[in-house]
């Protein structure tokens, strides 16, 4: 049956096979289909077909439609990617195994893809490469075992109208990229494991059909569903979805069917429709809208809804009914509409005028060859005449078209077509009473007809086929091959056998030089399959490597000797890749290899240019040892050193710790170097101090002679021991930490030259400060390095009261307080006499904060203390003033202008008994109280004014006053005389602003007063001290 079937498919463009055609076959798709290179469409719907898809189908580069149904097993071959013209791929109800080949992405013209597999072997994922098929219009894939997520690349199918994915085991989420499919008409996704939410991007205005069956999808129905303005059918099986049906869905005026399956978690009521009719709780399966004039009129249960009017699915019926068969686009858009033709005894011949196959949305007229095998029971009662014979046979029965043949197909039907070996008119069917076949049947290329060169010659390798005219071709061995004679075959005859074996192209052309155009020094090598190669012999060059067919000898040029070293790669490569070897060319096809200067190991070896069989090792000679080692190998320069660098190379330089000659490279046989290597400062050459000591901060370096230096912590630091290093060695580590200079020098006053009352403070970085302690002065603060201790002097106590401003300032500015120095770094603050509140408080000299108050304890000082015979006046702040009448002097003292503090009893009264001309009396009273000078001058010279007594030192008194403008000169003379009488040490002295002054010395007054009575020296000391305190 296979032979009969293939013999009848000489010029097939479309093949549609049913089960009867392959009923006697072995049950598999014939691999010979791969030879039908002109095939446009192949559809096999035989239920008995089994086995894999032949890889040979990959040869059908013109195939546009491929449909394979039940029984197909195995994987889709990768060769499917070679079907560059394929538009439609249809694999329904198959047992295809997986994974899907990535080569599907090479089908860049594919518009429709359908694969429904029940096999557990179809696994893997959807290849992302399918996203490259930008022409895709319809994609349907069903598998229970494929995994992975839906590729986002599907969003690149801008022309897609139908997408169906039934992938029970797929995971991931619904890609938002599907929202880019703006031409999408139908979308159906079924999966048990896809999760996430429904993307808002699915609000596609062109979508008419939407079905989502996914138990893991969560969230709510997006309001963007209201953008699906073309939606007519909605099916949702989403048990995990919550919320309500968006009201926007109620505005979709074309929607006539909604199915929301239970169970679900939707709440609320069905949204109202324009007519406002009744509602049904969400969760009940229902259809929205019936065949009423107003779509989506109400939500009603299915049992109350009329059967929806569904349009006929077969849009290709028009083609069967006689549509324009030449218009292939008339029925665009239908995936597959099967047609089942039934035959019975009563079938009239007119019912079998034409047959049509409807496949992948195209209405195609199928011409003969078609083999229909009717059962004997069908034909037993039918008598048919031979339509070809009745119309005159072959040419006459086919409109007298030359080279045409007629075939009776029974039941008042015959087929006319071009005879074997001719082409030009497609097969046409006629009733026996019709003979309108017309056109021209011209000779067909018999070689092409039989599959081309080799296939047209019985598939004998290396044959050539040549068309000789109508139904005639010649087969022979291709040039360069021999074995079969020249054989002539009819176009339907391919019975030829034998072997075409390659011949040696060099031998048949005379060998080497002759086979290469007689070029001297050339060689020829057979390359098989009618080819030979000519090139220059080893050791020669000039002509390129040239490939010639065995019957060609057109080559010219010259082959000249080449450098055998260069053509073999030079030196090392030309000497068997022996390291440190060198090559030298010796002439025609000859070279020498040996160890390079400075190395040894292999003998001098001569090789042909095409020979590189040499082995061994060329080991480097130590150039330093060869020349006597170090100093001798470096021109006998003292303190130099030599290091071997490898092949014929050494380096001379000054030894570590020396400098003078530069680093010099010498060949092993060269010792011409001169100069002097002198010792260097190891610290300097290593960067100085810190860098020369391993970059240890606070370290210092000292050069200690030839190639030697010492590193240690700088003064004031400690941590690393004293370390000796060679000049080329800088491997030292550690930390130099600052020493506490105070502690290191003994601490306390020992760290400051043992100066009492001094203190030491550490400054870090080899520095400390010595100064007098708080409350002491005498020596300025000084900084010392940790190895110096030269602080000297004396730190004496400071009067804490004066240091802090004196008076109340020294006591925190507390009114009515008084301060008293208490010795070393200490003072006492308390309330002044007559005030209470502040306890007596001891403060260090540096302390300034004091809190409290001093309040007046009494209301009248005069009432308590009085002034004896003087005049008493109460003053603020618990003071009183005792004064005498003008001209009277004060008995007792001393005090300032008669003002006394609370409790003071120095004032004893006033007296007018004063002889101003008696110097002794005057001296006695002035010595007793210098303020009495005021009374004396007032009494003796009432004309003067602004009298003021000033004590400049413990024993010197100056009296200042103002002279009147009148009688100034005479008064000046009188006062001057009295001053001399009173014992003044400086007579009248005029000053600025009419101020005049007289100076007295207490010792002189004491001498004068002693002439009357003796004043003990102790009393004088006391009086002088008191006077000093008040003045």
């Amino acid at each position: 049956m296979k032979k009969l079937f293939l013999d009848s498919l000489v010029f097939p463009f479309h093949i549609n096979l049913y089960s009867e055609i392959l009923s006697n076959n072995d049950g598999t798709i014939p691999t010979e289909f791969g030879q039908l290179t002109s095939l446009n469409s192949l559809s096999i719907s035989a239920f008995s077909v089994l086995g894999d898809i032949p890889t040979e189908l990959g040869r059908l580069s013109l195939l546009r439609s491929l449909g394979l149904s039940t029984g197909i097993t195995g994987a889709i071959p990768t060769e499917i990617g070679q079907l560059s013209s394929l538009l439609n791929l249809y694999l329904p109800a198959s047992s295809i195994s997986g994974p899907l080949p990535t080569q599907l992405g090479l089908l860049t013209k594919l518009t429709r893809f359908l694969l429904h597999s029940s096999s557990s072997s179809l696994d893997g994922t959807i290849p992302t490469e399918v996203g490259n098929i930008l022409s895709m219009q319809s994609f349907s894939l069903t598998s229970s075992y494929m995994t992975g997520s839906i590729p986002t690349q599907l969003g690149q199918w801008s022309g897609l109208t139908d997408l169906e994915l039934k992938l029970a085991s797929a995971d991931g989420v619904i890609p938002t990229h599907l929202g880019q499919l703006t031409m999408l008409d139908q979308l159906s996704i079924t999966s048990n494991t896809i999760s996430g939410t429904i993307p808002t991007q699915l609000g596609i205005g062109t979508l008419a059909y939407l079905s989502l069956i996914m138990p893991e999808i969560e969230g709510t129905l997006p309001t963007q569903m209201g953008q699906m303005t073309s939606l007519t059918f909605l099916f949702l099986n989403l048990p995990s979805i919550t919320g309500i049906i968006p009201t926007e869905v109620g505005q979709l005026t074309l929607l006539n069917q909604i199915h929301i399956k239970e169970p679900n978690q939707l709440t609320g009521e069905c949204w109202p429709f324009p007519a406002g009719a009744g509602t049904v709780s969400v969760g009940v399966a229902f259809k929205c809208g019936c065949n009423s004039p107003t779509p989506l009129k109400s939500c009603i249960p299915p049992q109350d809804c009329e059967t929806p009017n569904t349009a006929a699915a077969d849009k290709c019926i028009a083609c069967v009914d006689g549509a324009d068969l030449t218009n292939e686009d008339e029925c665009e858009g239908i995936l597959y509409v099967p047609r089942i033709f039934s035959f019975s005894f009563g079938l009239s011949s007119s019912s079998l005028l034409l047959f049509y196959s409807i496949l992948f949305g195209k209405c195609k007229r199928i011409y003969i060859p078609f083999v229909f095998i009717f059962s004997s029971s069908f034909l037993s009662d039918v008598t048919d005449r031979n339509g070809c014979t009745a119309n005159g046979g072959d040419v006459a029965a086919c409109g007298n078209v030359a080279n045409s043949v007629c075939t009776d197909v029974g039941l008042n039907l015959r087929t006319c077509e071009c005879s074997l070996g001719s082409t030009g008119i497609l097969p046409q069917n006629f009733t026996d009473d019709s003979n309108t076949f017309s056109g021209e049947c011209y000779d067909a290329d018999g070689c092409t007809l039989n599959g081309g060169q080799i296939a047209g010659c019985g598939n004998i390798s290396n044959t050539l086929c040549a068309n000789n005219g109508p139904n005639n071709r010649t087969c022979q061995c291709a040039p360069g091959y021999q074995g079969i004679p020249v054989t002539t075959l009819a176009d339907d005859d391919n019975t030829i056998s034998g072997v075409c074996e390659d011949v040696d192209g060099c031998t048949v052309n005379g060998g080497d030089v002759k086979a290469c155009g007689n070029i001297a020094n050339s060689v020829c090598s057979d390359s098989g399959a009618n080819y030979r190669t000519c090139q220059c012999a080893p050791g020669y060059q000039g002509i390129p490597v040239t490939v010639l067919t065995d019957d060609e000898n057109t080559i010219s040029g010259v082959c000249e000797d080449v450098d055998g070293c260069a053509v073999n790669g030079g030196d090392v490569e030309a000497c068997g890749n022996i390291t440190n070897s060198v090559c030298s060319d010796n002439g025609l096809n000859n070279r020498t290899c040996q160890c390079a200067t400075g190395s040894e190991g292999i003998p001098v070896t001569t090789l042909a240019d095409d020979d590189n069989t040499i082995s061994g090792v060329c080991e480097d000679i130590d150039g330093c040892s060869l020349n006597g080692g170090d100093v001798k190998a470096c021109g006998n320069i003292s303190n130099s050193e030599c290091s071997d660098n490898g092949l014929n190379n050494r380096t001379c330089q000054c030894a570590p710790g020396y400098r003078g000659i530069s680093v010099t490279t010498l060949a092993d046989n060269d010792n011409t170097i001169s100069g002097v290597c002198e010792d260097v400062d190891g610290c300097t050459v290593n960067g100085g101090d810190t860098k020369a000591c391993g970059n240890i901060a606070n370290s210092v370096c000292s050069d200690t002679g030839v190639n030697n230096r010492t590193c240690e912590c700088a003064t004031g630091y400690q941590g690393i021991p004293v370390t000796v290093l060679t000049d080329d060695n800088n491997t030292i580590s550690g930390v130099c930490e600052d020493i506490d200079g105070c502690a290191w020098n003994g601490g306390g006053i020992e760290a400051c030259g043992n100066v009492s009352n001094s203190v030491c403070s550490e400054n870090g970085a080899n520095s400390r400060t010595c100064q007098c302690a708080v409350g002491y002065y005498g020596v300025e603060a000084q900084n010392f390095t940790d190895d110096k201790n030269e602080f000297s002097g004396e730190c004496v106590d400071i009067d804490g009261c004066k240091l802090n401003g004196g008076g109340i300032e020294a006591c925190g500015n507390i009114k009515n307080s008084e301060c008293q120095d208490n010795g070393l770094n200490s003072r006492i603050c308390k309330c002044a006499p007559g005030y209470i509140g502040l306890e007596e408080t001891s403060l260090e000299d540096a302390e300034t904060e004091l809190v409290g108050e001093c309040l007046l304890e009494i209301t009248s000082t005069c009432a308590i203390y009085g002034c004896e015979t003087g005049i008493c006046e109460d003053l603020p702040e618990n003071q009183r003033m005792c004064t005498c009448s003008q001209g009277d002097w004060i008995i007792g003292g001393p005090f300032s202008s008669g003002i006394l503090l609370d409790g003071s009893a120095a004032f004893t009264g006033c007296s007018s008994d004063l002889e101003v001309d008696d110097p002794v009396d005057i001296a006695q009273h002035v010595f007793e109280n210098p303020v009495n000078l005021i009374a004396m001058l007032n009494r003796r010279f009432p004309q003067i004014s602004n009298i003021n007594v000033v004590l400049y030192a413990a024993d010197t008194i100056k009296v200042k006053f103002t002279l009147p403008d009148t009688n100034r000169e005479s008064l000046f003379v009188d006062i001057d005389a009295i001053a001399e009488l009173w014992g003044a040490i400086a007579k009248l002295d005029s000053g600025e602003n009419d101020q005049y002054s007289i100076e007295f010395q207490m010792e002189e007054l004491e001498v004068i007063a002693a002439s009357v009575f003796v004043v003990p020296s102790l009393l004088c000391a006391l009086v002088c001290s008191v006077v000093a305190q008040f003045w």
Side-chain angles (χ1 to χ4, degrees):
M1 174 58 73
K2 181 187 297 184
K3 180 66 171 64
L4 174 62
F5 175 69
L6 293 177
D7 286 348
S8 66
L9 298 179
V10 179
F11 303 103
F13 292 98
H14 307 277
I15 298 178
N16 191 350
L17 302 183
Y18 298 96
S19 59
E20 292 83 6
I21 296 177
L22 296 176
S23 61
N24 294 326
N25 193 27
D26 59 4
T28 61
I29 300 174
T31 59
E32 287 81 359
F33 276 175
Q35 301 173 20
L36 304 178
T37 56
S38 299
L39 197 62
N40 261 171
S41 174
L42 175 60
S43 174
I44 299 177
S45 57
F47 290 95
S48 59
V49 175
L50 301 172
D52 299 345
I53 301 174
T55 60
E56 287 79 3
L57 295 186
R59 301 173 183 171
L60 306 179
S61 59
L62 299 179
L63 194 66
R64 300 180 65 191
S65 296
L66 175 61
L68 305 174
S69 61
T70 308
I72 300 300
T73 59
I76 298 176
T78 59
E79 287 79 3
I80 199 167
Q82 301 172 19
L83 302 179
S84 57
S85 301
L86 196 64
L87 300 178
N88 307 299
L89 179 57
Y90 184 70
L91 301 170
S94 66
S95 297
I96 293 292
S97 59
L100 298 181
T102 60
Q103 287 77 6
L104 286 174
L106 300 176
L107 304 177
T108 56
K109 294 183 180 180
L110 195 66
T111 60
R112 293 176 175 83
F113 176 88
L114 184 144
L115 171 57
H116 293 172
S117 175
S118 58
S119 172
S120 62
S121 299
L122 181 59
D123 53 16
T125 62
I126 301 176
T128 59
E129 287 80 1
V130 299
N132 299 329
I133 311 175
L134 303 183
S135 58
M136 187 68 72
Q137 297 177 13
S138 179
F139 187 87
S140 178
L141 177 62
T142 299
S143 172
S144 299
Y145 298 95
M146 291 185 68
T147 58
S149 59
I150 301 173
T152 59
Q153 289 80 358
L154 301 193
Q156 300 172 182
W157 293 345
S158 58
L160 192 72
T161 60
D162 300 288
L163 178 60
E164 180 184 37
L165 299 173
K166 294 183 178 180
L167 305 172
S169 300
D171 54 24
V173 299
I174 302 175
T176 59
H177 297 71
L178 296 184
Q180 302 172 14
L181 305 177
T182 57
M183 301 295 291
L184 198 61
D185 181 72
Q186 298 188 42
L187 174 61
S188 175
I189 304 177
T190 301
S191 173
N192 293 332
T193 52
I194 290 179
S195 58
T197 60
I198 300 175
T200 60
Q201 292 83 353
L202 287 187
I204 303 171
T206 60
L207 200 62
Y209 179 99
L210 176 61
S211 173
L212 300 176
I213 304 174
M214 288 175 283
E216 296 298 321
I217 289 292
E218 298 178 333
T220 60
L221 297 177
T223 60
Q224 287 78 4
M225 291 179 67
Q227 300 172 11
M228 302 178 184
T229 55
S230 301
L231 196 66
T232 62
F233 181 91
L234 177 62
F235 184 94
L236 300 177
N237 187 350
L238 307 170
S240 299
I241 284 287
T242 59
I244 63 173
I245 302 175
T247 58
E248 288 81 0
V249 178
Q251 303 169 12
L252 301 178
T253 57
L254 298 180
L255 188 61
N256 56 48
Q257 290 194 53
I258 296 181
H259 299 271
I260 302 178
K261 303 296 290 183
E262 288 190 301
N264 63 65
Q265 301 183 51
L266 294 173
T267 59
E269 294 184 342
C270 184
W271 24 258
F273 294 119
T279 61
V280 176
S281 297
V282 173
V284 178
F286 60 86
K287 298 178 182 179
C288 290
C290 300
N291 293 328
S292 59
T294 304
L296 296 173
K297 181 176 180 180
S298 61
C299 287
I300 56 179
Q303 60 269 22
D304 297 333
C305 186
E306 299 177 29
T307 302
N309 179 26
T310 57
D314 182 8
K315 294 182 181 180
C316 285
I317 294 176
C319 295
V320 178
D321 293 338
D324 182 5
L325 295 175
T326 63
N327 184 0
E328 294 187 355
D329 295 328
E330 183 171 341
C331 300
E332 191 75 35
I334 302 301
L335 272 178
Y336 180 72
V337 182
R339 278 286 170 268
I340 301 176
F341 296 98
S342 61
F343 300 94
S344 64
F345 292 110
L347 186 65
S348 66
S349 61
S350 61
S351 300
L352 297 175
L353 295 179
L354 297 175
F355 292 93
Y356 300 96
S357 173
I358 303 169
L359 178 64
F360 295 111
K362 301 292 185 182
C363 291
K364 292 292 186 180
R365 184 169 185 170
I366 300 303
Y367 301 99
I368 302 299
F370 244 104
V371 180
F372 293 93
I373 301 177
F374 302 96
S375 65
S376 58
S377 61
F378 177 74
L379 298 174
S380 60
D381 296 326
V382 179
T383 301
D384 180 49
R385 65 175 179 172
N386 188 309
C388 296
T389 303
N391 282 278
D394 282 337
V395 175
C398 292
N400 285 313
V401 174
N403 301 317
S404 63
V405 292
C406 178
T407 304
D408 185 79
V409 294
L411 296 178
N412 192 30
L413 192 68
R414 74 185 189 281
T415 298
C416 284
E417 59 187 318
C418 291
S419 64
L420 187 63
S422 300
T423 187
I425 311 175
L426 294 175
Q428 298 180 33
N429 292 326
F430 299 96
T431 57
D432 291 346
D433 57 353
S434 174
N435 196 1
T436 58
F437 189 68
S438 62
E440 179 184 0
C441 288
Y442 52 86
D443 179 47
D445 188 319
C447 296
T448 303
L449 186 64
N450 282 278
Q453 295 292 333
I454 295 175
C457 293
N459 278 317
I460 299 174
S461 299
N462 307 315
T463 54
L464 287 179
C465 179
N467 187 58
N468 296 330
N471 196 26
N472 187 275
R473 72 188 188 281
T474 299
C475 286
Q476 58 185 325
C477 287
Y481 295 88
Q482 60 187 5
I484 63 171
V486 177
T487 304
T488 301
L489 299 171
D491 289 345
D492 60 347
D493 181 14
N494 204 3
T495 55
I496 181 174
S497 61
V499 177
C500 288
E501 297 178 322
D502 177 50
V503 296
D504 188 319
C506 296
T507 302
V508 297
N509 282 280
D512 281 339
V513 174
K514 288 184 180 182
C516 293
N518 283 312
I519 298 174
N521 303 316
S522 62
V523 291
C524 176
S525 57
D526 186 72
S527 305
N530 191 33
Y531 290 105
R532 71 186 189 281
T533 301
C534 285
Q535 57 187 324
C536 289
Y540 296 87
Q541 63 182 6
I543 62 171
V545 177
T546 305
V547 178
L548 302 171
T549 58
D550 290 345
D551 57 351
E552 178 189 4
N553 201 1
T554 54
I555 181 174
S556 62
V558 178
C559 288
E560 298 176 322
D561 180 51
V562 295
D563 185 323
C565 298
V567 296
N568 281 280
D571 283 339
V572 174
E573 289 187 16
C575 293
N577 279 314
I578 298 175
T579 305
N580 303 324
S581 61
V582 292
C583 177
S584 55
D585 187 71
N586 298 329
L588 295 178
N589 195 26
N590 187 275
R591 70 188 189 280
T592 298
C593 286
Q594 58 188 327
C595 288
T597 304
S599 63
E600 60 186 2
I602 63 171
V604 177
T605 304
T606 301
L607 299 170
D609 289 344
D610 61 347
D611 180 17
N612 203 2
T613 54
I614 180 174
S615 61
V617 178
C618 288
E619 296 180 322
D620 177 52
I621 301 172
D622 188 320
C624 297
S625 301
L626 185 65
N627 284 277
D630 282 337
V631 175
K632 288 185 180 181
C634 293
N636 281 312
I637 297 174
S638 298
N639 305 315
S640 64
E641 63 179 14
C642 176
S643 56
D644 186 72
N645 295 332
L647 183 61
N648 192 28
N649 188 278
R650 72 186 190 280
T651 298
C652 284
Q653 57 187 329
C654 289
Y658 296 87
R659 65 181 173 186
I661 62 172
S662 59
V663 178
T664 304
T665 301
L666 300 171
D668 289 345
N669 59 354
D670 180 15
N671 202 3
T672 54
I673 181 174
S674 61
V676 177
C677 289
E678 299 176 322
D679 180 49
V680 296
D681 185 319
C683 297
T684 302
V685 296
N686 281 280
D689 281 339
T690 300
K691 289 185 179 179
C693 293
N695 280 315
I696 298 175
N698 306 313
S699 61
V700 292
C701 175
S702 55
D703 186 74
T704 50
V706 177
N707 193 27
N708 192 275
R709 70 188 188 281
T710 299
C711 285
E712 58 187 316
C713 288
T715 303
Y717 297 87
Q718 64 183 1
I720 61 171
V722 177
T723 304
V724 178
L725 300 171
T726 57
D727 291 344
D728 60 346
N729 180 22
N730 201 4
T731 54
I732 181 174
S733 61
V735 178
C736 286
E737 297 178 321
D738 179 53
I739 300 172
D740 186 325
C742 296
W744 194 62
N745 281 279
I749 64 173
E750 286 188 26
C752 292
N754 281 311
V755 174
S756 298
N757 303 317
S758 63
V759 292
C760 177
S761 57
E762 170 68 16
N763 298 329
N766 192 28
S767 173
R768 72 186 191 281
T769 299
C770 286
Q771 56 187 334
C772 290
V774 177
Y776 297 87
Y777 73 99
V779 188
E780 294 292 331
Q782 299 177 42
N783 290 333
F784 297 97
T785 57
D786 291 343
D787 58 341
K788 302 293 184 182
N789 198 357
E790 300 171 351
F791 191 68
S792 62
E794 181 179 1
C795 291
V796 297
D797 180 51
I798 301 173
D799 186 321
C801 297
K802 291 182 179 180
L803 180 66
N804 286 277
I808 64 173
E809 285 189 28
C811 293
N813 281 312
I814 297 176
K815 278 188 173 185
N816 306 314
S817 63
E818 63 180 14
C819 177
Q820 179 181 347
D821 186 72
N822 197 31
L824 298 180
N825 191 29
S826 175
R827 70 186 187 280
I828 294 175
C829 285
K830 61 183 178 179
C831 287
Y835 295 86
I836 60 175
L838 177 67
E839 294 292 332
E840 185 175 299
T841 304
S842 177
L843 300 173
E844 291 185 1
D845 291 344
E847 290 185 76
T848 58
E849 294 185 4
L850 184 64
V851 179
E853 59 181 345
C854 291
L855 303 175
L856 184 65
E857 188 177 14
I858 56 177
T859 59
S860 175
T861 306
C862 290
I864 297 175
Y865 299 103
C867 290
E868 296 294 337
T869 59
I871 301 170
C872 183
E873 180 182 357
D874 282 308
L875 298 177
E877 298 181 349
N878 199 26
Q879 292 182 330
R880 72 187 190 282
M881 176 181 284
C882 292
T883 59
C884 295
S885 301
Q886 186 174 2
D888 290 349
W889 65 89
I890 300 170
I891 301 173
F895 64 96
S896 176
S897 302
I899 298 175
L900 299 177
L901 298 177
D902 291 345
S904 174
F907 184 84
T908 57
C910 302
S911 175
S912 60
D913 185 15
L914 176 64
E915 290 294 331
V916 296
D917 294 329
D918 186 352
V920 175
D921 196 18
I922 292 298
Q924 183 177 354
H925 286 84
V926 171
F927 180 79
E928 182 177 286
N929 194 329
V931 178
N932 282 328
L933 281 172
I934 300 174
M936 294 177 189
L937 287 174
N938 277 328
R939 190 167 185 175
R940 182 65 180 81
F941 302 102
Q943 304 96 321
I944 64 176
S945 61
N946 299 325
I947 304 173
N948 187 18
V949 176
V950 180
L951 181 64
Y952 281 95
D955 60 346
T956 302
I957 301 171
K958 180 179 282 191
V959 181
K960 294 182 178 182
F961 51 90
T962 303
L963 295 179
D965 293 335
T966 58
N967 300 320
R968 177 178 294 181
E969 292 182 0
S970 60
L971 188 59
F972 184 93
V973 173
D974 293 340
I975 293 175
D976 188 66
I978 287 299
E980 182 177 1
L981 176 65
W982 287 352
I985 61 174
K987 295 182 180 181
L988 191 62
D989 181 26
S990 62
E992 296 179 353
N993 300 321
D994 298 326
Q995 286 286 317
Y996 295 83
S997 63
I998 305 173
E999 287 187 13
F1000 294 88
Q1001 192 169 28
M1002 294 298 291
E1003 290 183 355
E1004 293 294 329
L1005 294 175
E1006 183 181 8
V1007 171
I1008 297 172
S1011 62
V1012 179
F1013 62 91
V1014 177
V1015 181
S1017 60
L1018 180 60
L1019 178 61
C1020 179
L1022 179 61
V1023 171
C1024 294
S1025 174
V1026 172
V1027 171
Q1029 289 185 20
F1030 275 87
W1031 295 100

